């Protein structure tokens, strides 16, 4: 499926509202410039043969999720005033791993076009792109379920961490985006510390303080296990579910560190 058909065949919430408008600007521009490859727009590993939903009823939902992620990623990447090669490379690897080879070049071009659109908006109004992000975040909060938004936030946090350092501007941007999408600052801290193996960060991952009682630790873990369970995002495809499972395992590892330190069973 070429990009022109994809624009006309968007399924789900992204067809309308600020995300739909932004998709029309960004994808329409790329289509005019000849970016019209064969195969599915995102996820080139799954042939659709011109029938968008026949072989994958969730194709539109996956594409909407991915475009939403790219929009929010464009805001996080620009938060510190520079576009790092490491961040762009993480996005490329993410696209290749979760959506297939075709998505790498297409997704990168979309992200670059989003950067251009952000600069254009900001020239007209210094708050132009920020306001658009807020509107898009509100639309995402209304249309994606809580667990899908958590997975989107996890991806954004990984992008911010990809250069080995998360500056305060990126943390602030992540918390801003999370708040708009109906999530908390503690959830941002949890996602930012997932790869840490320290005991202090294990508490952050479970969104609790080290002063929590054993019962509070158990309750916190059960809450995390429910809201981050990989099955909650299975409708977005097996690759996204696999990424969610990796996140789930890191939460389990954090729990194990706390339990061991406290002698809990």
């Amino acid at each position: 499926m070429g990009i022109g058909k994809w624009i006309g065949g968007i399924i789900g919430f992204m067809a309308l509202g600020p995300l739909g408008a932004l998709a029309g600007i960004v994808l329409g521009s790329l289509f005019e410039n000849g970016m019209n490859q064969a195969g599915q727009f995102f996820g080139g590993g799954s042939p659709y043969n011109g029938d968008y939903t026949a072989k994958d009823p969730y194709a539109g939902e996956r594409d909407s999720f991915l475009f939403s992620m790219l929009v929010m990623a464009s805001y996080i990447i620009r938060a510190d005033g520079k576009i790092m090669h490491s961040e762009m490379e993480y996005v490329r690897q993410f696209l290749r791993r979760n959506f297939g080879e075709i998505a790498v070049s297409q997704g990168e071009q979309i992200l670059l076009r989003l950067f251009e659109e952000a600069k254009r908006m900001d020239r007209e109004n210094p708050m132009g792109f920020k306001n658009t992000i807020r509107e898009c975040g509100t639309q995402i909060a209304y249309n994606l379920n809580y667990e899908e938004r958590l997975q989107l936030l996890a991806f954004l946090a990984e992008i911010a961490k990809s250069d080995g350092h998360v500056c305060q501007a990126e943390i602030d941007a992540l918390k801003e985006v999370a708040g708009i999408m109906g999530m908390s600052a503690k959830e941002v801290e949890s996602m930012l510390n997932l790869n840490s193996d320290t005991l202090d960060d294990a508490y952050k991952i479970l969104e609790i303080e080290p002063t929590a009682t054993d019962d509070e630790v158990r309750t916190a873990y059960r809450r995390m296990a429910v809201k981050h369970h990989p099955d909650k995002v299975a409708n977005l495809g097996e690759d996204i579910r696999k990424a969610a499972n990796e996140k789930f395992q890191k939460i389990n590892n954090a729990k194990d560190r706390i339990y061991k330190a406290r002698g809990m069973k």
Side-chain angles (χ1 to χ4, degrees):
M1 175 180 292
I3 190 169
K5 280 191 176 181
W6 190 84
I7 295 171
I10 291 174
I11 297 172
F13 72 91
M14 206 182 75
L16 302 172
L19 276 170
L22 196 56
I25 293 171
V26 172
L27 301 175
S29 172
L30 293 174
F31 178 59
E32 290 172 1
N33 291 333
M35 190 180 117
N36 189 23
Q37 300 180 33
Q40 182 197 9
F41 179 65
F42 292 121
S46 301
Y48 286 79
N49 299 325
D51 186 346
Y52 196 75
T53 60
K55 296 190 177 181
D56 185 352
Y58 300 114
E61 192 168 353
R62 279 170 60 82
D63 284 352
S64 293
F65 177 88
L66 177 53
F67 187 79
S68 298
M69 191 276 289
L70 289 174
V71 169
M72 293 303 172
S74 71
Y75 187 66
I76 301 302
I77 291 172
R78 294 177 72 247
D80 59 358
K82 52 193 175 184
I83 299 171
M84 301 293 292
H85 170 76
S86 55
E87 293 170 329
M88 292 298 293
E89 182 58 28
Y90 178 84
V91 173
R92 293 185 195 100
Q93 294 299 325
F94 165 84
L95 293 169
R96 181 174 290 109
R97 184 170 61 250
N98 293 289
F99 291 89
E101 194 62 38
I102 289 178
V104 177
S105 60
Q106 294 182 335
E108 183 177 16
Q109 289 183 63
I110 287 171
L111 195 53
L112 293 174
R113 183 66 183 87
L114 283 167
F115 292 148
E116 294 175 5
E117 186 63 15
K119 288 191 289 186
R120 185 194 66 77
M121 289 182 180
D122 288 343
R123 282 196 300 268
E124 297 179 359
N125 175 4
M127 295 289 289
F129 194 60
K130 179 184 282 285
N131 290 338
T132 296
I133 288 295
R134 289 173 177 170
E135 292 170 356
C136 289
T138 299
Q139 186 178 5
I140 290 169
Y142 184 79
N143 289 279
L144 288 184
N145 67 42
Y146 179 57
E147 292 79 15
E148 290 169 344
R149 282 178 276 141
L150 281 174
Q151 190 60 41
L152 193 154
L153 179 63
F155 287 144
L156 295 178
E158 290 300 319
I159 292 171
K161 291 186 291 183
S162 61
D163 61 355
H165 172 69
V166 185
C167 68
Q168 190 59 49
E170 291 172 317
I171 294 172
D172 291 343
L174 281 167
K175 290 182 177 179
E176 179 186 5
V177 165
I180 295 166
M181 295 193 301
M183 292 172 289
S184 70
K186 278 194 171 184
E187 286 169 325
V188 173
E189 293 291 340
S190 176
M191 296 300 98
L192 285 174
N193 287 284
L194 275 180
N195 295 329
S196 174
D197 58 4
T198 71
L199 182 59
D200 284 345
D201 288 340
Y203 285 104
K204 293 177 182 177
I205 292 170
L206 294 194
E207 301 175 19
I208 54 176
E209 299 295 330
T211 54
T213 66
D214 288 356
D215 284 344
E216 288 171 336
V217 169
R218 292 188 181 94
T219 298
Y221 171 68
R222 286 195 294 268
R223 183 177 64 249
M224 295 291 288
V226 169
K227 73 180 186 179
H228 287 282
H229 198 283
D231 288 349
K232 297 290 183 71
V233 295
N235 59 304
L236 295 175
E238 184 56 33
D239 292 328
I240 298 296
R241 187 185 183 282
K242 182 179 179 181
N245 189 63
E246 293 172 358
K247 169 167 60 76
F248 190 70
Q249 185 57 53
K250 292 174 182 177
I251 292 170
N252 281 328
N253 292 342
K255 180 265 292 183
D256 289 343
R257 288 198 299 277
I258 295 173
Y259 274 38
K260 182 178 180 180
R262 290 176 173 238
M264 294 171 59
K265 295 182 179 179

